Amino acid sequence: MTKTDTSSPEQVLPTPSHTVGPFYGYALPFRGGEEIAPLGHPDTVTVHGYVLDGAGEPLPDALVELWGPRPDGTVPQVDGSIRRDPATGGYLGRNGVEFTGWGRIQTDADGHWYARTLRPGTRGRGAPYLSVCVFARGLLVHLFTRIYLPGDEAALAADPLLTRVGERRDTLIAVEEGPAAYRFDIRLQGEGETVFLEYQ
């Protein structure tokens, strides 16, 4: 057995940091990931926006994951977001009936993303929200945030997280653009940076 001399700088080179890209774009996106709501459901809302870097430029290769409860606030306990054909292994798509509450969306060439999901219901003492996870080039660790939908100002005013972030609360509240349509841009850093959460 030979021993390697690790005291010499010529023998040991630093390992570069790993980011989540660019390889996640090959295996993680799936067709129909943005269509979370069952077809024709009356509580369907569309949420869309851009993922922007520190200079305000859109990222064409980011991934946005969303999770949300049903309109009555209960958390779905069903499988079926990524169904596969048992014979070919190919992706079958959602069944169009079950609501899993989860979706994964890849930004397009302009850094834009959208999802059709159900309006989230209240859980606990906070205002209803969608949970978000962002993957993008240059990120060593994916980022977590929330999307609150406007409408119930009393609930938003009393929400514990929105109260804690003070003036930055607007970075967590989507902008209503029309009936059941909301815009939510995710700014990774810089002016207007979205509030990100750390779970411990």
Side-chain angles (χ1 to χ4, degrees):
M1 181 171 186
T2 60
K3 214 171 178 187
T4 304
D5 179 10
T6 58
S7 63
S8 169
E10 292 80 28
Q11 297 293 328
V12 178
L13 298 175
T15 303
S17 297
H18 292 286
T19 67
V20 296
F23 306 111
Y24 65 82
Y26 171 74
L28 293 181
F30 62 96
R31 189 175 69 255
E34 67 280 352
E35 300 293 343
I36 305 167
L39 297 173
H41 196 289
D43 293 315
T44 299
V45 295
T46 299
V47 183
H48 78 102
Y50 292 84
V51 178
L52 305 166
D53 66 15
E57 296 295 319
L59 295 179
D61 54 359
L63 282 177
V64 176
E65 285 189 354
L66 296 180
W67 299 271
R70 295 184 183 95
D72 65 3
T74 59
V75 176
Q77 302 287 322
V78 296
D79 296 329
S81 292
I82 307 178
R83 295 184 313 134
R84 298 210 176 268
D85 183 327
T88 67
Y91 177 65
L92 287 175
R94 298 178 192 269
N95 66 14
V97 177
E98 309 262 32
F99 176 68
T100 66
W102 180 82
R104 182 183 291 149
I105 307 102
Q106 186 170 19
T107 56
D108 65 16
D110 297 320
H112 184 258
W113 65 274
Y114 82 92
R116 289 189 187 91
T117 188
L118 298 185
R119 175 178 286 280
T122 302
R123 294 174 55 218
R125 59 192 181 101
Y129 63 87
L130 297 169
S131 296
V132 181
C133 181
V134 182
F135 301 80
R137 60 183 146 109
L139 292 180
L140 299 178
V141 179
H142 43 278
L143 302 173
F144 296 97
T145 189
R146 292 180 177 178
I147 301 173
Y148 290 89
L149 301 181
D152 187 342
E153 297 311 312
L156 293 173
D159 185 85
L161 176 63
L162 292 176
T163 302
R164 287 185 66 191
V165 298
E167 295 177 0
R168 296 186 59 204
R169 71 191 297 273
D170 289 343
T171 70
L172 296 175
I173 302 173
V175 175
E176 189 168 6
E177 291 192 325
Y182 302 90
R183 178 162 176 178
F184 186 81
D185 292 338
I186 301 168
R187 294 184 176 271
L188 300 182
Q189 60 181 180
E191 187 175 348
E193 177 183 329
T194 300
V195 171
F196 296 106
L197 309 175
E198 183 176 298
Y199 296 99
Q200 299 179 351

